[in-house]
Amino acid sequence: MHLLPLLRKTLLAGVCVAATLSSASAATLKIGYSDWPGWVAWQVAIDKGWLKEAGVDADFQWFDYSASLDAFSAHKLDAVMATNGDALVTGANGHKGVMILATDYSDGNDMVVAQPGITDIKGLKGKSVAVEEGLVDHLLLLTGLEKAGLSEKDVKLVNTKTNETPQVLASGEVAAVAAWQPNAGQALHMVPGARPVFTSHEAPGLIYDTIVVDPQSLHDNRDQWQKLVGVWDHVVSYIKDPKTQPDALKIMATRTGVSPEAYKRFLKGTHLLTVSDDKAVFAKKEGLGSLYGSSSVSDSFNVRYSVYKTPQNVDSYIDPSFVAAVK
């Protein structure tokens, strides 16, 4: 199974470093991570030696995002970093995982970019909008339209590969595109006067980024997974503290091959969550403030647009006990 057509975001230039793969549930935790800032953040813990200090025996393996999900689906990893929506996609297509920590939510990196002269999303009524149908920014567009009192019927969707959206906007064939960074930024750069008319900043919790763990590994190595979750607050504090943020940005930028200045811009569109934040996110309730509510929205979207056919049991994909156990 190749999941690429169903998945979202390769934030920076794709980098896939060959990884030595092994079966799940090995003594050393095999964890796939890629270039979303909330996941690159783990590089800080790796470089600082905090995982070893906490007694975590983990092998973080660097992938392109879609390749990491393919590896998890093939049972080559104990865990993978994935959005909550993609966790459902992976589970519906064969390898179900359990979300034990939300590292962040998208806070502006996903956006609807409109042509010059269009100042808000209501201005798209009756016009064409390019988006890759079935992906997360299609969901973002629908959410923006709904908030403006419109629906999908009020615009004409033009199904477009996300990495082609900057060129499509520049061609003038559409009034707007929906894309994530860096494609959204490229669209803004290529069309002077273009502007975001709706972003994920206006729908906090629509897109959560999480750690998805193989259930067998979770059972066999529960103590290690618990220790890993316990390291997370140290990472978030180090990145947010103005005194240590330059070092954190240097580590994260080095991992992804961009400058710290450039990486700081991507980080601004990523709302990092502390474990304390997660305790609220992992509370079962409706709405985007809860991982349960957000995942239910993604599940309905995925079924509606035939990403998969059968609604998923969202509760079975979420285990709040690891977050709850952190004091």
Side-chain angles (χ1 to χ4, degrees), residues 139-191:
L139 174 59
L140 178 78
L141 172 64
L142 299 184
T143 302
L145 291 171
E146 182 179 1
K147 284 179 175 287
L150 302 176
S151 74
E152 190 172 7
K153 295 179 180 178
D154 290 309
V155 299
K156 179 183 177 181
L157 293 184
V158 179
N159 192 17
T160 305
K161 293 292 185 184
T162 299
N163 62 2
E164 297 174 1
T165 51
Q167 292 76 17
V168 171
L169 187 71
S171 73
E173 296 176 356
V174 298
V177 299
W180 56 81
Q181 295 281 26
N183 299 290
Q186 291 170 356
L188 289 167
H189 178 74
M190 292 176 67
V191 184

Side-chain angles (χ1 to χ4, degrees), residues 163-237:
N163 62 2
E164 297 174 1
T165 51
Q167 292 76 17
V168 171
L169 187 71
S171 73
E173 296 176 356
V174 298
V177 299
W180 56 81
Q181 295 281 26
N183 299 290
Q186 291 170 356
L188 289 167
H189 178 74
M190 292 176 67
V191 184
R195 61 188 297 173
V197 293
F198 189 78
T199 79
S200 53
H201 178 71
E202 298 167 80
L206 183 66
I207 308 164
Y208 283 104
D209 299 292
T210 72
I211 303 174
V212 182
V213 184
D214 175 89
Q216 188 63 51
S217 178
L218 206 59
H219 176 271
D220 294 345
N221 307 289
R222 185 175 182 86
D223 182 57
Q224 285 227 63
W225 288 115
Q226 185 65 65
K227 290 177 179 176
L228 181 79
V229 171
V231 171
W232 181 243
D233 269 354
H234 198 174
V235 173
V236 176
S237 296

Side-chain angles (χ1 to χ4, degrees), residues 46-113:
I46 296 167
D47 285 13
K48 293 295 180 183
W50 297 337
L51 295 174
K52 290 183 178 178
E53 288 178 9
V56 180
D57 182 9
D59 176 18
F60 276 73
Q61 300 182 1
W62 185 249
F63 285 89
D64 181 72
Y65 180 53
S66 58
S68 73
L69 288 160
D70 283 343
F72 183 74
S73 295
H75 294 260
K76 301 295 186 181
L77 296 169
D78 292 289
V80 68
M81 306 291 170
T83 69
N84 55 327
D86 288 341
L88 300 178
V89 175
T90 304
N93 287 285
H95 188 190
K96 186 174 179 178
V98 179
M99 293 179 273
I100 65 169
L101 177 77
T103 55
D104 65 275
Y105 61 76
S106 178
D107 193 17
N109 277 338
D110 296 76
M111 60 183 72
V112 179
V113 179

Side-chain angles (χ1 to χ4, degrees), residues 18-23 30 61 63 71 76-77:
T20 301
L21 303 177
S22 64
S23 61
K30 308 295 185 186
Q61 300 182 1
F63 285 89
K76 301 295 186 181
L77 296 169

Side-chain angles (χ1 to χ4, degrees), residues 288-303:
L288 300 182
S290 166
L291 186 58
Y292 291 88
S294 174
S295 299
S296 293
V297 171
S298 293
D299 185 52
S300 297
F301 171 81
N302 288 337
V303 173

